[in-house]
Amino acid sequence: EREIEAFRDAELRRQSTANLARTRTRYRAMAAALSRAEARIDPVLAKLDDHVTFLKHSLNAQAIGALEVERRDIERGITRLLDEMNRSIAESEAFLRGMEGDE
């Protein structure tokens, strides 16, 4: 911002200000997507950790059969997490591609 103010050419100042505003907007969208993905990681990992501990304590055929429903829930959670992470990665890549176009 300080450098933008140093432009003597009004058109260059305007273009640079517009580029900065676009970059900030794209960055905020990317950061929000990453935050959403991050917020979903801990609950999935906590549930997975609980089940690993449970299996360590009572590893038998009956316990494994009883965990089938939980396994499906964990798989769905992981699938949702991976989908969100892939969306975040796509937004990050789009942000970076946009930065290349601004140069």
Side-chain angles (χ1 to χ4, degrees), residues 14-83:
R14 186 197 64 72
Q15 287 177 15
S16 188
T17 300
N19 286 342
L20 177 60
R22 280 193 304 276
T23 299
R24 282 184 171 156
T25 298
R26 287 195 315 264
Y27 176 81
R28 280 191 290 273
M30 178 193 66
L34 292 172
S35 292
R36 286 190 304 272
E38 180 183 31
R40 290 184 171 95
I41 289 173
D42 287 339
V44 172
L45 292 179
K47 193 168 192 173
L48 182 60
D49 186 54
D50 284 350
H51 288 286
V52 167
T53 302
F54 178 80
L55 283 173
K56 286 190 323 190
H57 291 184
S58 57
L59 187 58
N60 61 50
Q62 184 178 9
I64 292 172
L67 288 175
E68 181 63 23
V69 171
E70 295 299 323
R71 181 193 60 80
R72 286 192 299 262
D73 287 345
I74 290 170
E75 285 179 352
R76 281 193 294 272
I78 290 170
T79 298
R80 284 191 302 270
L81 175 61
L82 289 173
D83 289 344

Side-chain angles (χ1 to χ4, degrees), residues 1-8 13 17:
E1 289 177 350
R2 284 189 300 258
E3 289 179 344
I4 290 173
E5 295 303 318
F7 280 116
R8 287 176 287 282
R13 184 180 314 116
T17 300

Side-chain angles (χ1 to χ4, degrees), residues 26 30 91-101:
R26 287 195 315 264
M30 178 193 66
E91 287 192 42
S92 297
E93 289 171 345
F95 173 77
L96 293 174
R97 279 193 305 274
M99 291 297 295
E100 291 170 358

